[in-house]
Amino acid sequence: MLAVLVQSLMIMSPQAMAGGLVEVLPQIKPSVVAIGTYQRTRSPAFRFLGTGFAVGNGRLIATNAHVLPESLATDGMESLVIVLPGDEQTRGVREVRRVAVDRNRDLAVLRMEQGEPLPALSLARGSKPQEGQAIAFTGFPIGNALGMTPVTHRGIIAAITPIGIPQGNARDLNPALIRRLSGEVFRVYQLDATAYPGNSGSPVFDPETGEVVGVINMVFVKGTKENILSDPSGISYAIPVEHLSNLLNGL
């Protein structure tokens, strides 16, 4: 009898694990946006750059700093925009402007000046995530090719690791790594789920509660963590949400 009960629980386990995510996703997806630039005179008019998500009062959009363009062709009427969630008929475009940037943590906050605010995601506070904790993230992997349909991946926090590892050979050092090794220890989340180009800026959240625990980051972390690799690994990373909270508090 006990063996039958154990076998039953093992069979039910995957569904039980997915149950929370199925319920939470409808709360997450309306807050996740595509970030890019818009210029009416070019083709395509919208150029996708990365993912963001609504925080605070619903008019603030969190993302990675490296997602944003260094400059805009303002003489050509190019603007920074977000594409709102929804189907082809209801999807909209809103102009945004950057209001805060933390380049040391590769985080940025944008503000949507017009239109209705989006449902803001809750940022985790208090106890920090632990290794082995289940996570999920939603964004636009390879958005240029796969389109503006939000995609969700799930996994665990595989490790909480320093962003930079001291190298045994000076040839393996670069200016970014030196800067990060000389300051306070900056730890990031290493994930066992695969993120793709376009996922940068995606919210990493608890699949049971929907609380955001981190922000997917591919370029910034890999450039430091894996700088000595000729072929970067498929490992994904996320910036802990506490750094985003600090940036928002500054506003």
Side-chain angles (χ1 to χ4, degrees):
M1 186 69 175
L2 180 59
V4 173
L5 178 60
V6 171
Q7 185 178 14
S8 176
L9 289 173
M10 291 176 66
I11 293 173
M12 293 175 59
S13 181
Q15 287 87 347
M17 290 177 62
L21 187 56
V22 169
E23 296 168 355
V24 163
L25 266 183
Q27 305 168 31
I28 298 293
K29 291 173 67 175
S31 306
V32 179
V33 301
I35 297 174
T37 61
Y38 182 84
Q39 189 174 11
R40 187 182 299 274
T41 56
R42 73 182 177 209
S43 181
F46 175 72
R47 183 170 296 162
F48 172 71
L49 297 174
T51 301
F53 58 98
V55 294
N57 60 7
R59 295 187 178 279
L60 299 177
I61 306 296
T63 187
N64 289 154
H66 79 260
V67 164
L68 307 181
E70 289 294 327
S71 61
L72 295 169
T74 52
D75 55 340
M77 303 295 289
E78 183 183 34
S79 57
L80 184 64
V81 300
I82 58 172
V83 175
L84 304 182
D87 57 30
E88 294 294 337
Q89 285 71 40
T90 61
R91 187 177 296 149
V93 176
R94 297 287 185 272
E95 190 169 342
V96 292
R97 65 183 181 90
R98 64 192 86 193
V99 292
V101 176
D102 180 354
R103 298 201 178 278
N104 290 329
R105 301 290 187 268
D106 196 33
L107 294 170
V109 178
L110 312 174
R111 176 176 283 131
M112 181 174 62
E113 301 291 356
Q114 298 180 335
E116 293 297 319
L118 298 176
L121 297 184
S122 298
L123 306 186
R125 301 182 184 277
S127 59
K128 296 182 179 180
Q130 303 296 312
E131 293 181 357
Q133 176 173 325
I135 55 90
F137 57 88
T138 299
F140 302 94
I142 323 178
N144 284 327
L146 301 183
M148 297 297 101
T149 300
V151 178
T152 300
H153 302 254
R154 70 174 185 176
I156 64 169
I157 295 178
I160 302 175
T161 176
I163 191 173
I165 302 297
Q167 304 298 324
N169 193 317
R171 292 177 302 174
D172 296 329
L173 294 172
N174 61 34
L177 180 58
I178 292 173
R179 284 197 304 273
R180 286 158 204 160
L181 290 176
S182 62
E184 62 177 315
V185 177
F186 177 19
R187 296 187 179 276
V188 295
Y189 301 142
Q190 183 174 313
L191 313 176
D192 74 335
T194 302
Y196 297 88
N199 269 127
S200 286
S202 298
V204 180
F205 56 92
D206 184 320
E208 294 295 327
T209 66
E211 285 191 326
V212 177
V213 299
V215 183
I216 287 289
N217 188 294
M218 301 299 292
V219 174
F220 178 78
V221 177
K222 282 179 179 285
T224 301
K225 187 78 174 172
E226 303 178 8
N227 68 301
I228 64 170
L229 299 178
S230 58
D231 295 315
S233 73
I235 296 172
S236 301
Y237 297 98
I239 306 295
V241 77
E242 64 194 75
H243 302 297
L244 175 59
S245 296
N246 292 338
L247 187 59
L248 290 169
N249 288 341
L251 293 173

